Amino acid sequence: MTTSVTPIAPERTALLLMDFQPAILAAVADSEKLLERARTALSWARSENVRVVYVRVAFASDDYSAVPTRNKTFAAVAANRFLADGSPEAEIHDSLEVREGDIVVRKTRVGAFSTTDLYAGLHGEGIDTLVMAGISTAGVVLSTLRDAADEDYRLYVLADATADPDPEVHRVLTEKVFPHQADVIGTDDLWALSGREPLV
């Protein structure tokens, strides 16, 4: 975790809540605690007028046929018709309130940018800072962080609102890898990030 937090400009900031879906939550330990921290981040974003972005992975029928067998991550997903768009397993978890005006993107690969128009949407709104949370640390969070860093975003990763099926992978990424491109913070740091005291 960072020891100090430099305040951000909320109007140029987006909170990315990524892959908080029942099927993916089932792969990590303490999913309820993870969701609680995601809700904390969401409450912070609502109170500070930070843009809320939901990212989810889901496949329409045509998407399955577009996955080549050489794709180690998604070939089995396609073969088993897993994470079908419209299925309960692929929806955003119902404890995370999606409001009118939130950005919701559907992806068919790991990162939040590669198969969506998210970058264009954020760029068009003048957003230059991203606060990220999601599952898994080695999946959507890592891929999105790398892409966003190459697009020169200012980046924060919420270590306690991010999880991986392998806790050691999570530790190495948040302690050793991510700090080279992002500030790694906790949900308790969010109000300091926007220059305010926590809401009681």
Side-chain angles (χ1 to χ4, degrees), residues 10-43:
E11 70 277 7
R12 296 203 307 273
T13 302
L15 170 68
L16 272 58
L17 296 172
M18 302 181 290
D19 295 7
F20 283 98
Q21 300 163 254
I24 298 172
L25 282 157
V28 298
D30 295 324
S31 61
E32 284 304 317
K33 284 186 178 179
L34 186 68
L35 281 167
E36 181 181 345
R37 290 166 184 150
R39 289 191 293 269
T40 296
L42 181 58
S43 294

Side-chain angles (χ1 to χ4, degrees), residues 2 4 12 15 62 64 94 104 121 127 162 169 182-184 200:
T2 54
S4 62
R12 296 203 307 273
L15 170 68
D62 290 347
Y64 289 123
D94 59 13
V104 181
I127 289 170
T162 296
V169 168
D183 287 319
V184 180
V200 178

Side-chain angles (χ1 to χ4, degrees), residues 42 46 54 92-94 96-100 102-104:
L42 181 58
R46 302 288 191 211
Y54 290 98
I92 297 162
H93 194 273
D94 59 13
L96 297 172
E97 180 191 8
V98 180
R99 294 184 182 176
E100 186 176 353
D102 292 343
I103 296 174
V104 181

Side-chain angles (χ1 to χ4, degrees), residues 62-133:
D62 290 347
D63 298 322
Y64 289 123
S65 60
V67 178
T69 56
R70 63 180 175 271
N71 187 314
K72 287 189 175 184
T73 301
F74 289 106
V77 171
N80 293 291
R81 312 295 264 190
F82 187 51
L83 289 166
D85 193 25
S87 67
E89 69 191 14
E91 295 301 317
I92 297 162
H93 194 273
D94 59 13
S95 72
L96 297 172
E97 180 191 8
V98 180
R99 294 184 182 176
E100 186 176 353
D102 292 343
I103 296 174
V104 181
V105 296
R106 181 178 70 86
K107 64 189 176 79
T108 57
R109 293 296 186 273
V110 177
F113 292 108
S114 65
T115 58
T116 73
D117 60 359
L118 181 58
Y119 173 70
L122 295 176
H123 183 72
E125 293 188 18
I127 289 170
D128 60 17
T129 301
L130 304 179
V131 179
M132 298 190 294

Side-chain angles (χ1 to χ4, degrees), residues 145-166:
L145 183 148
R146 292 297 203 196
D147 286 346
D150 282 350
E151 296 292 347
D152 300 322
Y153 283 98
R154 183 180 182 186
L155 299 171
Y156 296 88
V157 175
L158 297 175
D160 61 346
T162 296
D164 195 272
D166 185 333

